[in-house]
Amino acid sequence: MKRFCLLLLVLIGVAALCACSQEQAPEADKTLFNAVCDAGEAMERAQNADAVVFKGLKLVSGGKVWDAFYKAAQKGKPASVLCVNYYDIEGVNMSEELYEAEKDNYPQVFFLLLEYNGADYEITVRKSDEEALDYHETFGYLKHFTGKAPSQAAYSSYDNYVLVDDPAATWEGIEAGLVSSQADAGIKHYTVYQNTFD
């Protein structure tokens, strides 16, 4: 009887270990991604979903959701994640004329669906109150860049995840391409996750 109990405990332990190792890769909330709603409703729904939510360049919720997605993708497991980006012009330094011209267009929310199939990353972006897609592309790599911001920046450091096709791409190279006067100097990329720190 003691052997049977010991064997049973060992089998339960092995089963528990197998269950832990077969942890489910995260899947994005496609219902929210497909919802057509104004910025307020989009943000309310995003706060109650497994989504990664940004206001401007600040992560406000969903850090664990992002970490689970990134961890799964780094292991080669198919996974998906929904990012929600909220933009407003309140408190932004701009002329009164520009503010008056743009104020009725804000706030805006963009849904960003990132899907990894085990080989490539597919990104689809849509403004929350429109049915049409804004952007759709496939990339080979998701790179993680952290560092100190340039002295003229409004923040002190950054934590960025960027889609690229070149595995040797650097954040400095991407930034240099953005400000270059040469049309072909830019590196094809899409910044999926951008978080800044004061």
Side-chain angles (χ1 to χ4, degrees):
M1 185 67 173
K2 285 183 183 180
R3 283 186 189 176
F4 176 75
C5 289
L6 183 60
L7 179 63
L8 186 60
L9 286 173
V10 169
L11 288 175
I12 291 171
V14 169
L17 284 174
C18 288
C20 290
S21 67
Q22 300 208 357
E23 186 178 303
Q24 290 287 352
E27 287 212 17
D29 184 347
K30 291 183 183 174
T31 303
L32 177 55
F33 177 79
N34 292 319
V36 177
C37 51
D38 66 26
E41 182 183 348
M43 286 301 286
E44 185 177 317
R45 292 178 67 172
Q47 297 291 346
N48 298 316
D50 282 338
V52 184
V53 182
F54 298 90
K55 282 190 175 179
L57 299 179
K58 298 282 186 194
L59 175 69
V60 294
S61 66
K64 289 181 180 177
V65 174
W66 177 264
D67 291 343
F69 166 79
Y70 187 68
K71 186 178 182 181
Q74 291 301 295
K75 291 179 179 178
K77 295 180 180 178
S80 60
V81 66
L82 178 65
C83 296
V84 179
N85 294 291
Y86 176 91
Y87 301 100
D88 201 349
I89 59 172
E90 293 301 321
V92 173
N93 187 14
M94 65 176 58
S95 70
E96 192 173 319
E97 295 82 19
L98 181 57
Y99 177 82
E100 286 301 318
E102 291 293 325
K103 69 178 183 180
D104 293 336
N105 297 325
Y106 287 87
Q108 296 180 1
V109 169
F110 288 84
F111 295 138
L112 185 156
L113 178 63
L114 180 58
E115 300 172 283
Y116 178 66
N117 63 14
D120 297 312
Y121 294 88
E122 184 177 349
I123 182 170
T124 309
V125 181
R126 186 178 65 75
K127 191 167 179 258
S128 70
D129 60 356
E130 297 177 1
E131 288 185 18
L133 298 180
D134 282 343
Y135 184 79
H136 182 84
E137 188 63 74
T138 301
F139 291 86
Y141 303 93
L142 178 61
K143 303 273 290 187
H144 184 201
F145 302 114
T146 60
K148 298 284 182 196
S151 58
Q152 68 273 20
Y155 50 91
S156 63
S157 60
Y158 60 86
D159 182 20
N160 298 338
Y161 291 83
V162 183
L163 294 167
V164 294
D165 282 330
D166 179 1
T170 64
W171 183 245
E172 293 75 20
I174 290 169
E175 285 187 315
L178 291 173
V179 298
S180 175
S181 60
Q182 296 178 344
D184 62 347
I187 296 172
K188 179 185 166 191
H189 73 285
Y190 193 98
T191 304
V192 181
Y193 174 121
Q194 189 168 20
N195 192 23
T196 60
F197 305 95
D198 297 330

